[in-house]
Amino acid sequence: MTDAAHAEHEVQGLKTFITDWSTDQEAFKRVHWGKAMMWIFLLSDTFVFSCFLTSYMTVRSSTTLPWPNPSEVFALTIAGHQTPLLLIAIMTFILISSSGTMALAVNYGYRHDRRTTMILMLATAVLGASFVSMQAFEWTKLILEGVRPWTNPWGAPQFGSSFFMITGFHGMHVSIGVIYLTTIAIKVRRGDYERRGNYEVVEIAGLYWHFVDLVWVFIFAFFYLW
């Protein structure tokens, strides 16, 4: 192929690309544009959380000061006895359960069952709000015990910064998700998606929520069990 023909081929390809994106069709043809954009966002967010967790593992492995024992730090005192990781176990159970209600919401959305879809999405949002409330209680408990981003009373000062950064960033995602799901549930109740003829937006919201739940599994394993 000559240089002129190659240049003409590239120009033609660029014109085709512009035409695809400027038409009123789905840019990815067989994939809803919102779903494609959500996957791109989740991929970028995966890199961020991966960096956080990798940094946490590096700091914990390299520090020369004692690292607090999670079973003791995150224990709850009940009837005079310390129960290790009880609150964290409840939080994990709630978040995993919310994945189930979200999956059911998507299923009933594609059945065009507006009422059940709305109820399941609101139930998911309530579970998410419960998780954030428990996380706020956990933060308050540790702050009262003297944990700060720059220090903690049990050893390595990096513990405080790692804890607040990682759990705080995840908690922000959960809080945004609660608002997001509540908004979509209201629109489902109004019949917005029924008039459009599809409930793909519910599935897109489900992708976000499942991602948030999956990230927590890694945080739970690396931060609370290690």
Side-chain angles (χ1 to χ4, degrees):
M1 182 182 292
T2 64
D3 291 343
H6 183 71
E8 183 178 353
H9 181 73
E10 288 184 347
V11 170
Q12 185 61 38
L14 180 61
K15 288 181 178 179
T16 303
F17 176 80
I18 294 173
T19 300
D20 285 343
W21 276 88
S22 60
T23 60
D24 59 354
Q25 305 177 50
E26 295 288 353
F28 291 90
K29 303 305 180 185
R30 297 180 183 179
V31 180
H32 188 280
W33 69 269
K35 188 184 296 185
M37 292 300 104
M38 179 58 76
W39 275 115
I40 292 173
F41 166 74
L42 295 181
L43 180 61
S44 65
D45 228 20
T46 299
F47 292 139
V48 175
F49 276 108
S50 297
C51 289
F52 281 175
L53 290 175
T54 302
S55 299
Y56 167 75
M57 289 186 289
T58 302
V59 167
R60 179 163 180 180
S61 300
S62 61
T63 183
T64 56
L65 295 174
W67 196 267
N69 185 344
S71 296
E72 297 175 0
V73 174
F74 300 107
L76 286 182
T77 302
I78 300 176
H81 299 281
Q82 280 199 331
T83 306
L85 301 175
L86 176 61
L87 180 64
I88 310 304
I90 295 173
M91 291 167 61
T92 303
F93 175 77
I94 286 175
L95 210 54
I96 291 176
S97 298
S98 72
S99 268
T101 55
M102 189 66 237
L104 287 173
V106 174
N107 182 279
Y108 279 95
Y110 278 110
R111 295 183 190 181
H112 291 243
D113 188 334
R114 284 168 48 191
R115 183 174 181 276
T116 306
T117 301
M118 178 202 66
I119 291 173
L120 287 168
M121 291 195 74
L122 290 178
T124 304
V126 169
L127 290 172
S130 301
F131 174 89
V132 174
S133 300
M134 291 182 181
Q135 193 170 63
F137 171 80
E138 179 188 40
W139 274 44
T140 302
K141 174 179 176 291
L142 292 182
I143 290 172
L144 292 176
E145 290 174 350
V147 180
R148 300 291 185 272
W150 50 87
T151 187
N152 83 86
W154 305 292
Q158 297 94 331
F159 171 81
S161 58
S162 300
F163 171 77
F164 289 120
M165 178 184 69
I166 294 174
T167 61
F169 193 62
H170 178 265
M172 181 188 71
H173 278 70
V174 177
S175 301
I176 292 172
V178 169
I179 298 171
Y180 182 26
L181 294 181
T182 303
T183 303
I184 299 299
I186 293 172
K187 292 169 74 68
V188 168
R189 180 67 181 86
R190 288 193 318 209
D192 291 9
Y193 307 121
E194 191 70 34
R195 287 189 288 273
R196 294 183 191 177
N198 72 75
Y199 282 76
E200 283 187 304
V201 174
V202 176
E203 183 182 0
I204 294 168
L207 290 175
Y208 176 86
W209 194 256
H210 292 317
F211 171 79
V212 169
D213 292 355
L214 179 61
V215 169
W216 176 253
V217 172
F218 284 95
I219 294 175
F220 177 76
F222 283 94
F223 206 95
Y224 296 98
L225 297 183
W226 181 16

